Amino acid sequence: MPQPMLIGNRYYLRVAPPADLAKAVKGQLISIPIDGAFKSVRIGTHVKISLGTSDLAEALKRYLPAYQAVLAHWEIVRNGPQKLTHKTLFALAGQIRADWINVFDENPATPEIWERVIAANESALGGGRDKLVIPVKGNPQTSQQEERLRPRVSETG
């Protein structure tokens, strides 16, 4: 198994994509867990991201979850999109709802956060990176969002 690489005074995860995936993954953005937080990095000839420490023992602890996330990404790309069952879709929706309640129930956050949510919704409607559509009451695009969702509902029914 590869080991953390010391570059300057910091340890890094640095892993080349497998030859069969190199072209497919080049340019993709991948989120990697580093010390309890997710950091994003764009895949080039290698996945290279700082482990955020100059201590070898700490780097070794942080390396394994990061490396496993990279390996999992390779497998996801190899396997392609997977069809989700109706039960799995509802389970995911329930988890998303629980996360929203956990984050916003006691404190609805700042207007800036909600502006980012609205921007993410608009990005999803326009075919942007975010594919999760969360209709927002009072937003003029809500009816447009509902209209876009309607065909999906009838397709699954």
Side-chain angles (χ1 to χ4, degrees):
M1 179 174 84
Q3 295 291 314
M5 178 179 283
L6 184 63
I7 300 174
N9 64 347
R10 292 280 187 197
Y11 282 96
Y12 283 76
L13 172 139
R14 186 173 187 274
V15 183
D20 64 319
L21 297 176
K23 287 182 183 177
V25 299
K26 187 171 184 174
Q28 288 184 350
L29 197 63
I30 181 173
S31 293
I32 301 174
I34 306 287
D35 194 28
F38 282 88
K39 297 186 179 184
S40 295
V41 64
R42 195 158 304 277
I43 302 171
T45 57
H46 290 78
V47 173
K48 178 184 167 191
I49 191 163
S50 172
L51 297 171
T53 185
S54 56
D55 179 59
L56 178 59
E58 186 62 30
L60 289 168
K61 281 194 272 184
R62 295 178 185 183
Y63 187 84
L64 186 58
Y67 183 63
Q68 288 173 334
V70 171
L71 294 180
H73 183 74
W74 302 154
E75 282 308 305
I76 289 168
V77 172
R78 269 194 190 102
N79 294 333
Q82 300 296 307
K83 204 164 185 112
L84 300 177
T85 65
H86 186 72
K87 186 176 183 178
T88 303
L89 289 171
F90 271 96
L92 290 170
Q95 184 60 54
I96 291 168
R97 180 186 181 279
D99 289 346
W100 273 82
I101 290 171
N102 184 42
V103 171
F104 297 114
D105 191 35
E106 294 294 324
N107 181 4
T110 64
E112 292 81 17
I113 297 277
W114 291 104
E115 288 170 6
R116 287 184 16 215
V117 169
I118 290 168
N121 288 342
E122 290 169 354
S123 174
L125 286 172
R129 197 181 88 169
D130 300 313
K131 301 300 182 203
L132 176 63
V133 178
I134 305 166
V136 178
K137 286 187 179 185
N139 183 333
Q141 291 196 357
T142 297
S143 60
Q144 184 183 7
Q145 291 171 339
E146 290 169 353
E147 198 166 303
R148 286 180 186 245
L149 289 174
R150 195 169 293 122
R152 293 184 194 152
V153 172
S154 64
E155 289 171 8
T156 60

